[in-house]
């Protein structure tokens, strides 16, 4: 029995060793076959995927597609990199003059499972894109493309998300005096990218002037293949820490939020903007500025139409409406109608004039045309204003000036004995027509009315505090001899009264005001010099 068992065991061990050898050879053979298959897959994956990418894009955009390079790695699933992608406008639009690709991509990358080579459509989680550029031809060129049936192929790749860095959107214009509108897209994520539904997006746009980043989130599309500029877009934006100092002549940090919707060619925007420390370089006095606005942005020209803007400067409310118009190669022209129903004059003076405190306080009502021409100069040098105003409840902050006004009123009423420093303040009214340019206010018709007198002036008022030059006439209720407290002086002036007693007034006296805003000088202008002559 023992001999038989000894004979059996060696055969059993031999069989087991033979099985292990067959198993090893099978594994090695399978590995060799797998390696061979992988080699074939690697060799064929590039052309297969390139064909699928091109076919999917042709189907989506119904136009010519070019792809310069595409590389495939299968070390960890299917890794695809490529670049030199160009998608062109329809042939009719190209024939109408469009030259640039509708969409171009410098480089892209995505990852998918190996089974994606077998099953269609291939599913891709995210595509990472660098150097995306979208060039939308001008509307007239797009309209050349006749509507025609689309020859749809099969979508062979489905994408959940497209992540783009350092991209740009350029909307062309057919207006010869306009530059194309350029939007710099620092970072944008497009989700659920499909042909028939809007794409949710999250984007960061780089704004050059004022400098800062705009964060926006919303939906885009669906993409209008025949007319991309008519593709819908909507969303909410936030523009924080925008540096207004990048605009020469003004300063402050802007914060703005709002909502927008429309088409790429024409977008309606509603929002608010706050600048806690808004300033002009003529004064450098920071003021709180807040606005609520409604605007339309024309993507074909870059023009913006304000309809209207509700604004508050300090404690003063006003509205403005108009346009910001793009001028080719120069910048922008700003034309606004400004309506100030009842505001504090000191708020506007503090913003624009160096004198501290503001030369006067009061309530101003004005309607003004504001124009800012393009150019490299400071905003305050390019700014011009034209309009009329009414200024009520005027009080001069300089006690000496206010005393002179109060004493003038008392003398003009024939009460010279009461005309002393510290006399009660009088209520006065000022109306006028003005133009401002080059940092100077020119008054052609300035009327100042106070009890017992009216003053008609014309002159120049500079915002830098260096020029204060007015001439005109003072009409008084009392005669000259009635405006002096001394009896002897009154007797001496009686013979002169007839020379100044004119047009129903007790006296008409030519005057001039010169010096600076903080220290004006009052005097007679017996020579009748005009402001431009008096300054020589």
């Amino acid at each position: 029995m023992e001999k038989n068992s000894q004979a059996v065991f060696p055969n059993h061990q031999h069989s087991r060793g033979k099985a292990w050898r067959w198993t090893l050879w099978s594994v090695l053979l399978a590995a060799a076959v797998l390696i061979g298959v992988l080699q074939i897959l690697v060799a064929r994956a590039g052309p297969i995927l390139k064909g699928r990418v091109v076919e999917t894009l042709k189907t989506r955009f119904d136009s010519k597609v070019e792809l310069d390079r595409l590389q495939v790695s299968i070390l960890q699933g299917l890794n695809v990199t490529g670049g030199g992608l160009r998608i062109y406008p329809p042939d009719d639009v190209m024939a109408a003059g469009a030259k640039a690709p509708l969409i171009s991509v410098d480089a892209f990358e995505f990852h998918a499972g190996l089974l994606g080579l077998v099953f269609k459509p291939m599913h891709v989680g995210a595509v990472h894109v660098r150097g995306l550029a979208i060039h939308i031809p001008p509307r007239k060129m797009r309209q050349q493309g006749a509507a025609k049936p689309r020859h749809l192929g099969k979508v062979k790749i489905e994408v959940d998300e497209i992540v783009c860095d350092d991209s740009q959107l350029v909307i062309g214009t057919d207006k010869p005096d306009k530059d194309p509108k350029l939007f710099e897209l620092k970072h944008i994520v497009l989700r659920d990218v499909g042909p028939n539904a809007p794409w949710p997006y999250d984007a960061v746009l780089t704004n050059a002037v004022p400098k800062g980043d705009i964060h926006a989130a919303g939906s885009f599309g669906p993409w209008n293949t025949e007319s991309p500029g008519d593709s819908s877009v909507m969303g909410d934006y936030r523009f924080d820490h925008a540096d207004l100092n990048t605009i020469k002549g003004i300063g402050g940090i802007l914060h703005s939020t709002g909502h927008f919707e429309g088409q790429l060619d024409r977008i309606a925007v509603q929002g608010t903007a706050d600048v806690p420390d808004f300033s002009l370089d003529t004064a450098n006095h920071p003021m709180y500025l807040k606005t609520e606005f409604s605007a339309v942005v024309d993507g074909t020209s870059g023009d913006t139409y304000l309809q209207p803007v509700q604004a508050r400067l300090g404690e003063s409310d006003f509205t403005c409406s108009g346009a910001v118009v793009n001028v080719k190669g120069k910048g922008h022209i700003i034309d606004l109608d400004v309506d100030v129903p009842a505001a504090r004059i000191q708020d506007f003076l503090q913003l624009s004039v160096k004198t501290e405190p503001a030369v006067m306080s009061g309530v101003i009502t004005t309607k003004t045309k504001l124009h800012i021409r393009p150019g490299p100069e400071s905003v305050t040098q390019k700014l011009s204003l034209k309009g009329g105003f009414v200024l009520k409840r005027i009080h001069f902050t300089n006690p000496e000036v206010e005393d002179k006004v109060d004493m003038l009123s008392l003398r003009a009423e024939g009460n010279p004995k009461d005309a002393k420093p510290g006399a009660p303040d009088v209520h006065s009214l000022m109306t006028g027509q003005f133009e401002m340019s080059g940092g100077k206010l020119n008054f052609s018709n300035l009327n100042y009315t106070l009890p017992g007198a009216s003053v008609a002036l014309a002159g120049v008022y500079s915002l830098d505090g260096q020029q204060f030059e007015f001439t005109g006439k003072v009409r008084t209720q009392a005669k000259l001899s009635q405006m002096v407290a001394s009896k002897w002086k009154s007797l001496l002036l009686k013979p002169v009264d007839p020379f100044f007693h004119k047009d129903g007034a007790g006296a008409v006296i030519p005057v001039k005001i010169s010096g600076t805003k903080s220290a004006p000088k009052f005097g007679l202008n017996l020579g009748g010099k005009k402001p431009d002559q008096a300054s020589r």
Side-chain angles (χ1 to χ4, degrees):
M1 187 70 181
E2 292 179 356
K3 290 182 178 179
N4 289 336
S5 62
Q6 290 175 353
V8 171
F9 278 104
N11 291 332
H12 179 68
Q13 292 175 348
H14 177 73
S15 299
R16 290 178 63 185
K18 187 175 181 181
W20 277 108
R21 285 195 297 272
W22 277 107
T23 301
L24 179 61
W25 280 109
S26 297
V27 171
L28 291 175
L29 180 61
V33 171
L34 180 60
I35 291 172
V37 171
L38 290 176
Q39 288 177 336
I40 295 173
L41 285 175
V42 171
R44 297 187 60 187
I48 291 173
L49 285 176
K50 185 175 182 179
R52 289 188 183 181
V53 170
V54 171
E55 181 61 28
T56 297
L57 294 173
K58 279 184 177 180
T59 298
R60 181 66 192 87
F61 294 96
D62 193 24
S63 58
K64 177 184 174 182
V65 177
E66 296 177 344
L67 179 59
D68 290 343
R69 62 188 184 278
L70 187 141
Q71 296 84 34
V72 177
S73 171
I74 57 172
L75 293 178
Q76 294 180 338
L78 195 64
N79 291 298
V80 180
T81 59
L85 173 64
R86 296 174 297 280
I87 303 172
Y88 291 89
D91 292 340
D92 292 340
V93 179
M94 294 288 289
K99 303 298 181 184
L102 179 65
I103 298 174
S104 61
V105 173
D106 290 341
F108 64 86
E109 180 180 2
F110 64 85
H111 178 86
L114 286 172
L115 292 179
L117 289 173
V118 179
F119 297 103
K120 299 178 185 179
M122 174 187 290
H123 181 264
V124 175
V127 177
H128 295 268
V129 175
R130 295 188 307 278
L132 168 69
I134 302 174
H135 290 263
I136 297 179
R139 182 179 291 273
K140 285 186 179 179
M141 290 184 185
R142 302 197 307 266
Q143 291 174 341
Q144 300 301 315
K148 59 188 179 194
R150 295 184 62 190
H151 304 289
L152 298 179
K154 293 183 179 180
V155 174
K156 297 186 176 182
I157 300 177
E158 292 182 347
V159 178
D160 292 340
E161 182 177 274
I162 300 177
V163 181
C164 306
D165 291 305
D166 300 325
S167 306
Q168 61 178 219
L169 168 65
V170 181
I171 303 179
T173 177
D174 43 37
K175 300 176 182 179
D177 59 338
K178 303 289 186 182
D179 286 318
K181 185 61 179 177
L182 171 65
F183 297 91
E184 295 285 351
L185 308 175
K186 185 176 181 180
H187 180 78
I188 184 168
V189 179
L190 299 168
R191 299 183 177 89
D192 301 331
V193 180
N196 301 315
W199 309 341
Y201 71 85
D202 193 291
V204 177
L205 291 74
T206 299
N207 196 72
V209 181
K211 187 177 181 180
D213 289 339
I214 302 173
H215 178 237
S219 63
F220 172 76
W223 180 267
N224 188 321
T225 303
E226 284 75 26
S227 184
D230 294 329
S231 300
S232 298
V233 61
M234 67 174 296
D236 297 295
Y237 78 88
R238 186 173 189 88
F239 192 13
D240 277 331
H241 306 294
D243 189 358
L244 295 182
N245 291 282
T246 54
I247 304 174
K248 189 175 181 180
I250 67 175
I253 301 297
L254 178 143
H255 309 269
S256 180
T257 60
H259 176 79
F260 58 91
E261 59 182 291
Q263 291 74 44
L264 288 178
D265 279 349
R266 190 173 180 85
I267 303 173
V269 186
Q270 290 183 323
T272 62
D274 292 88
V275 188
D277 54 351
F278 182 70
S279 65
L280 298 178
D281 62 358
T282 54
N284 291 320
H285 296 156
M287 296 282 293
Y288 181 78
L289 175 65
K290 180 178 182 178
T291 65
E292 295 182 6
F293 60 86
S294 176
V296 174
V297 179
D298 185 343
T300 63
S301 62
D303 298 343
T304 299
Y305 302 93
L306 302 172
Q307 333 171 311
V309 175
Q310 304 288 338
R312 165 163 279 214
L313 177 69
E315 298 181 30
S316 297
D317 296 320
F318 61 97
T319 63
C320 55
S321 59
V324 181
V325 179
N326 177 38
V327 180
K328 186 175 183 179
K330 295 182 179 179
H332 295 85
I333 291 176
I334 300 176
D335 282 304
L336 300 177
D337 292 320
V338 182
D339 185 4
V340 183
R344 303 195 326 161
I345 184 63
Q346 58 266 38
D347 287 335
F348 296 97
L349 291 175
Q350 185 174 345
L351 174 69
S352 58
V353 181
K354 287 186 181 296
T355 305
E356 183 67 31
V359 66
M360 69 174 69
S361 63
V363 178
I364 186 170
T365 299
T366 180
K367 290 188 176 181
T368 305
K369 297 282 188 182
L370 180 150
H371 174 82
I372 302 178
R373 59 179 172 80
E377 301 90 349
S378 165
V379 168
T380 51
Q381 292 299 314
K382 298 184 294 183
L383 171 69
S384 64
L385 297 169
K386 184 176 182 179
F389 72 94
V390 176
L391 182 58
K392 302 176 182 178
R393 301 203 297 270
I394 301 170
H395 175 77
F396 292 92
T397 54
N398 185 323
E400 293 183 6
V401 175
E402 182 62 36
D403 277 343
K404 288 178 181 178
V405 170
D406 299 335
M407 289 188 291
L408 170 62
S409 176
L410 290 167
R411 292 181 186 279
E413 289 180 311
N415 300 310
K417 292 183 179 181
D418 297 328
K420 299 176 182 179
D425 291 350
V426 299
H427 295 287
S428 55
L429 172 72
M430 187 181 295
T431 64
Q433 299 293 319
F434 68 92
E435 291 188 31
M436 192 191 90
S437 62
K440 293 183 179 181
L441 275 165
N442 292 276
F443 293 91
S444 57
N445 183 18
L446 184 63
N447 294 288
Y448 181 43
T449 304
L450 63 163
S454 63
V455 185
L457 298 171
V460 180
Y461 180 94
S462 69
L463 300 183
D464 61 6
Q466 299 305 310
Q467 187 177 7
F468 194 84
E469 198 75 32
F470 287 88
T471 62
K473 293 180 179 181
V474 178
R475 293 172 56 91
T476 63
Q477 177 181 318
K479 297 179 181 179
L480 279 180
S481 61
Q482 297 171 331
M483 289 190 284
V484 293
S486 169
K487 292 183 179 180
W488 290 104
K489 291 182 179 179
S490 178
L491 289 172
L492 290 173
L493 287 173
K494 280 188 178 293
V496 183
D497 283 343
F499 294 99
F500 292 91
H501 181 62
K502 300 177 181 178
D503 303 325
V508 178
I509 307 168
V511 295
K512 63 179 178 180
I513 308 172
S514 59
T516 64
K517 293 184 289 294
S518 56
K521 298 177 181 178
F522 298 84
L524 297 177
N525 187 31
L526 298 177
K529 291 183 178 180
K530 295 181 179 180
D532 57 343
Q533 295 173 325
S535 61
R536 292 175 185 172

